[in-house]
Amino acid sequence: MARLLDIENLTVSFPTPRGRAEVVKGISFTLGRERLGIVGESGSGKSMTGRSILKLIRPPGRVTADRMTFDGIDLTTQSERDMRDIRGARISMVMQDPKFSLNPVMTVGEQIAEALVTHKKLPRREIDERVIAMLEAVRIDDPARVAGLYPHEVSGGMGQRVMIAMMLIPEPDLLIADEPTSALDVSVQAQVLDIIDDLVRDKGMGLILISHDLNLVSRYCDRILVMNAGTIVEECAAGQLENATHPYTRGLLAAMPTIDEAREELPVLDRTLWAGT
Amino acid sequence: MSAITLSDLDISYGDTKVVHAINLDIAEGESFALVGESGSGKSTVLRAISGLAPDWEGRISVLGKARSHGVDRQVARHCQMVFQDPYGSLHPRKTVDATLSEPLAVHGLSNRGPRVEAMLAAVGLDRRFRFRFPHQLSGGQRQRVAIARALMLEPKIMLLDEPTSALDVSVQAEILNLLKRLRREQGLTYLLVTHNLPVVSFLCDRLAVMRHGRIVEVASVAQLKAGALVEPYSKELLAASGGHAQTVST
C-alpha cells in the first residue's frame, strides 16, 4: 500500500516556567489509505498529533520531526502559503464541536461553498449543485432549505454533518476527525460515524479518527494507536483490541462499565505508574 | 416512603412546553435513571425538582411533602444537585473551602471547618486541596468537589445530571465508584440523568426512557441487562449503545 503519511520522531512542545513541556514525545507512525484510530485520554497528545500534521500549532508551541511527509510532500519545509493549498484541499480536519467551529454569520450553504471556492475555480451553478449534492451525501433531508439556514438554526448532529460536508467537498486525500462525535447523542453518533465511514470508503481516502472512546474507535478503524503522556504505548489491529497487552490499554478497557455490568466496583488506573497524565 | 413523587408534571420554558404529564414514583434508597437523547426533557425534570425551572404544573413531592414553586429551603436541604460540567459548575474565584462552606452558611449550620475537612475525606480528596481554586484541580478532582458541595447539607436525595459525561473513561470509573460507595454508606437516593446506558447498568436499580418530553418506558436494570426493553424506541437506544457492550465482551 502506498504510504499517504509517514511520520518519524514527531515532537510537540510548549514553553512553561519550568522549561519546555513535551506534549508529544517523539512518536512515529505511517498511514496508507486506511482508517487509523488514535485513542488516549485528555492530555495524552492525541489532538496535538492531529494538529501538527496540518501545521496548526502556533508559536510558542514548537513542532519538530525527523520526517513528516504527506504523499511525497515534505510537510516540515512547507511555507504557510504552501500549507494553505494543502489544508482543506488535500488534508482536512473535522473538529469536535459544531457550535464553535462553524461561522455563526454565514449560512450553511455559503460555508460549504467557501471550502470549494477557495481551492477550485468553478461556475456558480456547479458550486451550488455540488453543495446540494454534498448535503445529500451526509444524509440531510431537504438540502436546499438547510443550505440557507444559519448554524444556530440547525441541531448539533446536523451541524456536525454540515462540517463533514464542508471538509469533504474539496475531496481531500486524508481526513483527520478529532473527536467528531463527542458533542453528540449516542444515537446520532453512530449515524455521523457511518456517514464518515461510507464516504471514506467510497472515495478511498485515508482517515485518522482521534477519540477517547476505545470501543468506538475499534468499531470504525482498521488499526489503533493507543497514546498516553505523549507516547504511543500500543499499536494493534482494531479486531485485536481485547488481546492488548499494555497495562494502560488493559486498564482503560476494564474501567469502562458495560451494559450487563455485574462488577461491584470498577477497576481504576493506578496513575502513579504513568506519571504525568 | 417515596423520596420523589411526580404527578402529572408539565414543565414549560416560556410558551414552549417541554415536558408532558410525567408520573414517577421513586422510593427512598433507590437509584433511578432517566435516559434519553438531548432535548428529551430529562434534565428539565431534575431542574424542576431542584427549583431551577419554576414554570411547572402538576405536583412534585419530595420526601412526602409537596414542593412550592419558589425557593424551598426544605427541599434544598434534603435534595441537592450535581451538574454535568465540573468546569462550569464551580465558582472560579472561590476556593474549595469557600465553595463547600457556602451551603452551611446559607442554612446557618455551625462547625464549618471540621465538616469541610470530613467531607473532603469522604469524597477522597487530600486535605491540601482545601484552599485551592478550581483551575488548580483536574476535571475528576473538580467533580469530586462538586459532589462534596452537594453532600455538605447531608441530603437524602442526590440529583445527578450527567455527572461523568465530561470526564475521561478512567476518571469516570473513579467517580462512579465514589457515587456507589457514598450511596451505600449514607443510604442516599439517586435520580441520575444520562444517555450512557452502561453507566445506568452499573449505578442504578430502575430506569425511565424519555423521548420528546414524555416517558416512553419504565424498566428495571435487570431488564436492561437482559436486553428485554419493550418499546421500540428503547430498543433503538439500547442498540445504539449495545454495540459498545458487544465489542467489550466478544
Side-chain angles (χ1 to χ4, degrees):
Chain A
M1 199 187 300
R3 279 183 182 174
L4 198 55
L5 192 68
D6 191 350
I7 287 178
E8 203 172 291
N9 199 15
L10 172 74
T11 304
V12 181
S13 63
F14 286 91
T16 70
R18 275 158 283 145
R20 291 193 83 83
E22 289 197 339
V23 295
V24 177
K25 297 171 187 158
I27 64 168
S28 308
F29 65 93
T30 59
L31 176 83
R33 293 192 180 265
E34 58 176 337
R35 301 170 301 162
L36 175 75
I38 302 184
V39 197
E41 294 193 281
S42 320
S44 61
K46 56 188 193 306
S47 295
M48 283 299 154
T49 305
R51 289 173 157 262
S52 55
I53 295 169
L54 276 171
K55 296 185 77 172
L56 285 175
I57 294 171
R58 301 269 171 251
R62 193 191 294 154
V63 182
T64 59
D66 291 352
R67 189 168 62 235
M68 191 154 80
T69 56
F70 164 72
D71 201 16
I73 305 166
D74 184 0
L75 291 178
T76 50
T77 56
Q78 295 291 302
S79 67
E80 256 319 282
R81 179 177 284 272
D82 296 332
M83 278 312 291
R84 237 177 277 159
D85 293 334
I86 295 176
R87 289 187 197 125
R90 310 281 325 265
I91 311 177
S92 60
M93 189 164 185
V94 176
M95 307 279 184
Q96 180 168 355
D97 198 332
K99 270 200 210 93
F100 301 114
S101 312
L102 294 176
N103 187 341
V105 296
M106 274 172 96
T107 63
V108 162
E110 285 170 18
Q111 288 186 59
I112 298 174
E114 190 187 28
L116 195 59
V117 173
T118 312
H119 298 290
K120 285 190 185 115
K121 283 248 180 301
L122 287 173
R124 186 75 230 172
R125 175 187 288 274
E126 194 177 329
I127 289 173
D128 290 344
E129 278 167 9
R130 282 190 56 182
V131 167
I132 303 289
M134 200 64 226
L135 282 171
E136 253 165 27
V138 294
R139 291 178 218 157
I140 281 180
D141 304 327
D142 199 358
R145 184 183 65 90
V146 174
L149 297 178
Y150 285 92
H152 73 270
E153 296 173 300
V154 302
S155 68
M158 228 153 136
Q160 198 60 298
R161 279 183 265 183
V162 167
M163 189 141 62
I164 293 168
M166 198 192 312
M167 292 307 155
L168 290 179
I169 202 165
E171 302 187 331
D173 299 291
L174 173 62
L175 179 71
I176 302 172
D178 188 358
E179 304 259 12
T181 58
S182 41
L184 306 177
D185 271 328
V186 187
S187 45
V188 187
Q189 265 182 18
Q191 289 174 17
V192 168
L193 285 166
D194 285 338
I195 291 168
I196 293 182
D197 198 44
D198 285 351
L199 295 173
V200 166
R201 279 166 192 263
D202 290 351
K203 298 197 159 75
M205 296 159 43
L207 170 72
I208 298 182
L209 179 62
I210 299 173
S211 173
H212 63 273
D213 190 332
L214 269 171
N215 289 315
L216 191 132
V217 167
S218 72
R219 266 196 286 167
Y220 287 95
C221 293
D222 307 311
R223 210 149 54 87
I224 298 179
L225 303 177
V226 182
M227 284 188 72
N228 183 350
T231 53
I232 294 177
V233 296
E234 182 143 11
E235 182 180 348
C236 62
Q240 300 299 310
L241 191 62
E242 312 78 56
N243 306 329
T245 49
H246 193 278
Y248 177 74
T249 318
R250 297 214 62 81
L252 275 189
L253 281 171
M256 229 161 343
T258 60
I259 199 94
D260 47 0
E261 189 56 64
R263 291 172 292 185
E264 195 45 45
E265 196 165 317
L266 296 169
V268 172
L269 286 176
D270 183 359
R271 282 171 194 285
T272 53
L273 286 177
W274 308 280
T277 45
Chain B
M1 188 170 58
S2 359
I4 300 172
T5 312
L6 309 175
S7 332
D8 296 319
L9 181 67
D10 295 340
I11 310 169
S12 319
Y13 289 128
D15 292 332
T16 323
K17 198 186 262 190
V18 288
V19 171
H20 309 267
I22 296 277
N23 286 291
L24 262 189
D25 192 61
I26 298 158
E28 220 174 329
E30 195 178 14
S31 173
F32 193 92
L34 287 175
V35 300
E37 297 178 39
S38 330
S40 62
K42 54 194 194 314
S43 297
T44 303
V45 172
L46 286 202
R47 293 172 66 88
I49 297 171
S50 62
L52 292 170
D55 194 1
W56 51 269
E57 283 163 45
R59 193 181 151 86
I60 300 176
S61 356
V62 176
L63 296 166
K65 277 181 149 172
R67 192 199 197 295
S68 69
H69 278 259
V71 177
D72 194 326
R73 263 172 192 262
Q74 278 312 303
V75 171
R77 188 73 205 270
H78 296 301
C79 191
Q80 282 285 325
M81 187 150 164
V82 176
F83 297 87
Q84 173 172 7
D85 185 1
Y87 297 87
S89 65
L90 296 177
H91 195 299
R93 293 181 61 172
K94 281 188 175 173
T95 60
V96 170
D97 181 72
T99 300
L100 297 188
S101 304
E102 193 171 12
L104 298 177
V106 169
H107 287 263
L109 299 174
S110 58
N111 207 12
R112 287 174 210 163
R115 281 187 199 229
V116 168
E117 290 224 339
M119 190 50 70
L120 283 177
V123 297
L125 279 176
D126 198 275
R127 287 178 59 178
R128 68 198 153 99
F129 293 114
R130 186 172 164 191
F131 294 102
R132 289 204 190 175
F133 287 96
H135 72 264
Q136 295 168 310
L137 305 174
S138 72
Q141 287 164 346
R142 283 185 222 203
Q143 198 58 302
R144 282 173 197 266
V145 173
I147 292 170
R149 199 232 7 107
L151 285 172
M152 280 317 284
L153 294 172
E154 294 164 16
K156 297 202 170 62
I157 302 164
M158 291 274 271
L159 306 173
L160 307 166
D161 190 358
E162 306 254 16
T164 60
S165 57
L167 306 174
D168 271 326
V169 183
S170 61
V171 183
Q172 163 172 296
E174 289 174 22
I175 297 294
L176 290 177
N177 285 340
L178 170 70
L179 287 170
K180 200 163 195 178
R181 175 170 62 82
L182 289 169
R183 178 170 164 238
R184 195 170 55 227
E185 286 172 1
Q186 308 194 8
L188 297 166
T189 306
Y190 283 167
L191 179 53
L192 170 83
V193 160
T194 185
H195 59 254
N196 188 334
L197 289 176
V199 167
V200 175
S201 169
F202 179 72
L203 200 62
C204 298
D205 309 319
R206 274 202 304 157
L207 71 152
V209 180
M210 286 188 69
R211 186 185 202 188
H212 302 326
R214 291 188 166 80
I215 290 182
V216 179
E217 182 173 6
V218 179
S220 71
V221 161
Q223 274 172 280
L224 172 71
K225 287 178 183 174
L229 298 179
V230 184
E231 292 293 323
Y233 177 70
S234 324
K235 283 184 181 164
E236 218 175 279
L237 262 189
L238 187 59
S241 47
H244 293 243
Q246 274 160 16
T247 39
V248 167
S249 54
T250 48

